[in-house]
Amino acid sequence: MKQANADKAQSNASRAVWLKQLHQWHWISSALCLLGMFLFAITGITLNHASQIEAKPAITRQKAVLPPPLLSELSAYAGKHDGANAPMPDSAERWLKQQWSLNAGGRPAEWSLDEVYLPLPKAGGDAWVRIGLEDGAAEYELTDRGWISWLNDVHKGRNTGTAWIWFIDIFAGLCIVFCVTGLLILKFHATNRPLTWPMVGLGILIPCAIALLFIH
């Protein structure tokens, strides 16, 4: 009898240790995921209704003329990179920074003998620069589709940069930790909560049924 009580006490102590650890990982992961989960939930709705809340894009166009020395440098550069995708020379990137506050950041441009085209995709919009290599005429166009489009692109990681892609991956990992620890906590409490597994099963069954029946 004493041995049975001792084994039960040891089992309860071990259970308490595991439960404490699970609760700790659960609340830490939920705290780190809080803002991200809120953001991705809201943008999930805006993405689902993107056609209904689509904003009219605002387009800005600007023009300039390259200085003759820079035009000569780009023409020579184009002769060596005709038909290639290659970053613009540092001098051209500095000119774009001074002229239109653009950060080309070593992005590849499309080169030909008569022009260079630099795409500058961004979250929530688009931009590009075209430079004629015969007359030095430069044109910059910026398209802004609004903050909802920006949020939708942030949700998808579209044109958001490496740092945000890393954030999404880490956030997804934390969400997995949050879900798994929550499921294990449910397992520990399921004995005293008879509706635990029926509710878990319902949470799995509903999305699966909708996907099988209504997604074609």
Side-chain angles (χ1 to χ4, degrees):
M1 186 68 177
K2 290 182 179 180
Q3 183 62 39
N5 290 336
D7 291 343
K8 184 177 180 180
Q10 185 176 1
S11 176
N12 289 338
S14 178
R15 180 178 182 275
V17 171
W18 274 105
L19 194 56
K20 182 179 179 181
Q21 289 294 324
L22 288 172
H23 274 291
Q24 186 172 5
W25 279 101
H26 190 66
W27 79 257
I28 290 174
S29 59
S30 66
L32 293 174
C33 290
L34 177 61
L35 181 59
M37 292 183 74
F38 182 77
L39 171 66
F40 279 83
I42 294 295
T43 52
I45 296 174
T46 58
L47 274 171
N48 203 35
H49 298 276
S51 60
Q52 298 170 336
I53 56 179
E54 187 175 2
K56 184 178 180 180
I59 300 176
T60 302
R61 295 185 178 92
Q62 299 184 50
K63 295 183 178 181
V65 178
L66 261 66
L70 181 57
L71 177 59
S72 299
E73 181 183 351
L74 290 186
S75 297
Y77 192 85
K80 299 176 181 178
H81 297 82
D82 183 26
N85 290 338
M88 302 184 75
D90 293 341
S91 55
E93 291 194 356
R94 286 195 298 270
W95 184 82
L96 291 175
K97 184 73 173 178
Q98 295 169 0
Q99 186 70 32
W100 291 314
S101 299
L102 295 179
N103 184 14
R107 300 187 190 191
E110 301 170 11
W111 293 87
S112 66
L113 294 178
D114 57 350
E115 74 170 23
V116 54
Y117 176 80
L118 176 65
L120 296 167
K122 59 191 291 290
D126 194 15
W128 53 264
V129 172
R130 180 182 287 114
I131 301 174
L133 298 180
E134 295 180 353
D135 55 4
E139 183 181 5
Y140 165 53
E141 182 176 290
L142 170 66
T143 302
D144 187 352
R145 298 187 178 90
W147 66 271
I148 292 179
S149 178
W150 183 85
L151 287 173
N152 289 344
D153 284 348
V154 165
H155 181 107
K156 295 181 289 186
R158 177 178 178 269
N159 300 324
T160 52
T162 304
W164 184 257
I165 297 298
W166 272 103
F167 167 78
I168 292 178
D169 290 342
I170 295 171
F171 166 75
L174 289 171
C175 286
I176 292 173
V177 172
F178 175 70
C179 292
V180 171
T181 53
L183 184 62
L184 293 175
I185 290 171
L186 286 176
K187 178 181 180 297
F188 275 100
H189 292 297
T191 305
N192 299 322
R193 298 173 183 174
L195 286 178
T196 296
W197 296 124
M199 293 298 292
V200 171
L202 195 62
I204 297 173
L205 179 62
I206 289 176
C208 289
I210 293 174
L212 292 173
L213 296 175
F214 300 106
I215 299 178
H216 303 289

